[in-house]
């Protein structure tokens, strides 16, 4: 069974997320952990952190827009849709 870990950050400092995913894997309830994160310029869109941990970073069209409440809602919706379509199987 797989686990999807959603992080609404760019995962530049991933120590907290790595601790959480390693803890999930140590319980041996899941075979692998997939991490969905936000893409930032200069980083790769996919990374394999270990045999059982993979990171997919999603590019958002709304990423560079202002940070008011309405735009933030659109960013969240876009991220949710992209993650859902990518991991739907």
């Amino acid at each position: 069974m797989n686990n999807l870990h959603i992080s609404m950050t760019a995962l530049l400092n991933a120590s907290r997320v790595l601790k959480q995913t390693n803890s999930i894997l140590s319980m041996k309830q899941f075979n692998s952990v997939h991490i969905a994160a936000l893409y930032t310029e200069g980083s790769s869109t996919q990374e394999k952190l270990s045999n059982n941990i993979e990171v997919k970073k999603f590019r958002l069209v709304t990423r560079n827009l202002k940070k008011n409440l309405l735009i933030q809602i659109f960013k969240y919706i876009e991220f949710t849709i992209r993650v859902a379509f990518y991991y739907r199987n």
Side-chain angles (χ1 to χ4, degrees):
M1 189 174 348
N2 297 322
N3 177 271
L4 176 61
H5 194 89
I6 299 174
S7 176
M8 290 291 295
T9 65
L11 277 184
L12 298 176
N13 263 342
S15 62
R16 175 183 51 85
V17 175
L18 285 176
K19 286 179 187 176
Q20 291 171 350
T21 55
N22 285 328
S23 176
I24 289 169
L25 288 172
S26 70
M27 290 188 288
K28 298 185 181 181
Q29 293 180 353
F30 298 100
N31 299 328
S32 63
V33 175
H34 300 275
I35 303 171
L38 294 173
Y39 173 82
T40 56
E41 201 64 40
S43 65
S44 62
T45 56
Q46 289 189 318
E47 299 176 40
K48 190 162 187 158
L49 300 179
S50 72
N51 288 339
N52 302 338
I53 302 173
E54 293 181 10
V55 177
K56 168 68 175 154
K57 295 183 180 181
F58 294 88
R59 293 178 193 235
L60 300 183
V61 175
T62 57
R63 178 84 169 165
N64 293 327
L65 298 177
K66 296 180 181 181
K67 293 187 178 184
N68 65 42
L69 180 62
L70 185 60
I71 300 297
Q72 292 296 96
I73 291 170
F74 283 128
K75 288 179 186 181
Y76 182 78
I77 291 169
E78 180 187 3
F79 181 74
T80 303
I81 290 170
R82 288 184 184 270
V83 170
F85 276 104
Y86 186 81
Y87 290 108
R88 67 178 171 241
N89 294 330

